[in-house]
Amino acid sequence: MQSDQWQAFIAQFAQLSHRQRKASADLLRNGAQQETVICLIEQAAQAQLHCPACNSFHFYRHGHEHGLQRYRCVPCGRTFNALSGTPLAHLRYKARWLAYADCLLGSFSIRKAAEHLNIHRNTSFRWRHRFLALAKSDRPRCLHGIAEADEMYMLESQKGSRHLTRPARRRAGRARQRGISNEQVCVLLARDSTGQTVDFVTGLGQLTKARLHACLPPVIDRDILLVTDGHPAYPVFARELGIMHEAVNLRASIRVRGTVHVQNVNAYRSRFRSWLSAFHGVATRYLPNYLGWRWILDARRILSPESLLKATLGDFPHMTVT
């Protein structure tokens, strides 16, 4: 735009109403935010950019689409961009993504985030689980030294499901059977003395030796000391795996025996339950996402909306695990 054209354009702003000026300011602000988001997306994708259809790295630039550089794959001829094949593919309103990532770091509810960003609550729900799809996968590769393990049980929930596999319960309902039953889902937590934490949704009902063998062996050293409560599955599992094991008798109010205790993992479990209660119940099928979300917050591995956006695209520059 030429200088005289720019001056004529600016002079027209005096004729705008207050509502029109506000809309113009929002448009300019959103444009700047969208450029920032697009820049972050392109940067995060460069290191691993490939064709999502055939995994080829032989491609060339092929115009732009929705503000993103588009590419065409030479072997298969498909077109793609930096978002293709990622959890954020086909989502709209890029200008609001950083603000939504900030809402996740602030533990906003779905409705609160929707009101904050002026989006529909269904959009807020969809964005929550898209943003957590890859970020939740950042976990320690292995626990070392002394590791504490404990299980917690949560009432199984089919919230949001169109076809229930059991009779419906009232909101905030209780299990029909007392104690631990197949109406409750078991979550296994393991945490070492450095704070590295892994978690597993093992399934409905009691924790068993078979479930421990399915979860723990890949993420613990063979010279580790496993400390647990008095659950009978742990000593059998430790003996079969050939690792050291110590148990504390919580039922006898023996919580600490020298350096042997489960206070660390119990404190983490308590923080998770307290944080989860603010969401008034979550569907069991989304429980891994919430476990990952809590780990992100508790470990402080992602401290900014920009880092969370990059993690959602598979770029973990600040999340080196031991």
Side-chain angles (χ1 to χ4, degrees), residues 46 49 59-62 69-72 78-80:
Q46 285 306 314
L49 192 62
F59 53 85
Y60 58 89
R61 295 175 183 268
H62 188 66
Q69 175 67 54
R70 186 170 59 179
Y71 305 90
R72 182 178 289 278
R78 300 284 185 89
T79 60
F80 62 95

Side-chain angles (χ1 to χ4, degrees), residues 51-85:
C51 174
C54 67
N55 294 322
S56 172
F57 290 90
H58 191 192
F59 53 85
Y60 58 89
R61 295 175 183 268
H62 188 66
H64 288 78
E65 185 178 21
H66 303 299
L68 292 169
Q69 175 67 54
R70 186 170 59 179
Y71 305 90
R72 182 178 289 278
C73 177
V74 174
C76 71
R78 300 284 185 89
T79 60
F80 62 95
N81 59 33
L83 289 179
S84 299

Side-chain angles (χ1 to χ4, degrees), residues 180-192:
I180 299 171
S181 67
N182 284 338
E183 294 182 80
Q184 295 172 319
V185 62
C186 176
V187 177
L188 175 64
L189 300 174
R191 185 176 174 92
D192 68 16

Side-chain angles (χ1 to χ4, degrees), residues 16-231:
L16 298 179
S17 65
H18 175 74
R19 182 176 180 180
Q20 291 170 332
R21 291 182 183 182
K22 186 177 183 302
S24 301
D26 291 341
L27 182 63
L28 292 173
R29 190 181 304 109
N30 289 338
Q33 291 175 349
Q34 180 155 325
E35 289 179 4
T36 302
V37 170
I38 288 175
C39 183
L40 287 171
I41 292 171
E42 299 285 9
Q43 289 176 359
Q46 285 306 314
Q48 51 190 357
L49 192 62
H50 63 278
C51 174
C54 67
N55 294 322
S56 172
F57 290 90
H58 191 192
F59 53 85
Y60 58 89
R61 295 175 183 268
H62 188 66
H64 288 78
E65 185 178 21
H66 303 299
L68 292 169
Q69 175 67 54
R70 186 170 59 179
Y71 305 90
R72 182 178 289 278
C73 177
V74 174
C76 71
R78 300 284 185 89
T79 60
F80 62 95
N81 59 33
L83 289 179
S84 299
T86 72
L88 299 183
H90 308 298
L91 294 185
R92 301 170 60 190
Y93 309 122
K94 297 181 184 66
R96 309 181 195 183
W97 285 0
L98 285 179
Y100 191 81
D102 194 43
C103 290
L104 284 176
L105 295 178
S107 298
F108 281 31
S109 68
I110 288 174
R111 292 180 183 272
K112 184 178 179 181
E115 293 173 1
H116 184 69
L117 298 180
N118 193 27
I119 57 177
H120 195 272
R121 63 181 180 274
N122 291 350
T123 301
S124 179
F125 176 82
R126 186 181 309 112
W127 284 11
R128 169 182 288 184
H129 296 291
R130 293 285 191 93
F131 269 83
L132 296 174
L134 286 184
K136 70 174 182 181
S137 65
D138 177 51
R139 285 293 193 282
R141 294 186 180 92
C142 198
L143 304 183
H144 309 280
I146 300 175
E148 306 166 23
D150 198 8
E151 69 282 355
M152 64 178 175
Y153 296 91
M154 308 178 65
L155 190 63
E156 183 264 350
S157 172
Q158 298 182 25
K159 184 178 180 180
S161 177
R162 294 180 181 273
H163 305 285
L164 300 182
T165 60
R166 52 160 174 78
R169 289 193 297 262
R170 291 182 179 271
R171 188 182 296 271
R174 298 181 178 181
R176 289 182 170 83
Q177 302 178 47
R178 297 183 61 183
I180 299 171
S181 67
N182 284 338
E183 294 182 80
Q184 295 172 319
V185 62
C186 176
V187 177
L188 175 64
L189 300 174
R191 185 176 174 92
D192 68 16
S193 54
T194 65
Q196 302 295 318
T197 306
V198 292
D199 49 64
F200 307 92
V201 180
T202 66
L204 297 176
Q206 277 277 8
L207 181 68
T208 64
K209 176 193 66 174
R211 292 180 178 181
L212 289 173
H213 276 290
C215 299
L216 288 183
V219 296
I220 57 175
D221 279 342
R222 290 304 176 264
D223 59 350
I224 203 168
L225 171 60
L226 182 65
V227 183
T228 68
D229 59 14
H231 195 290

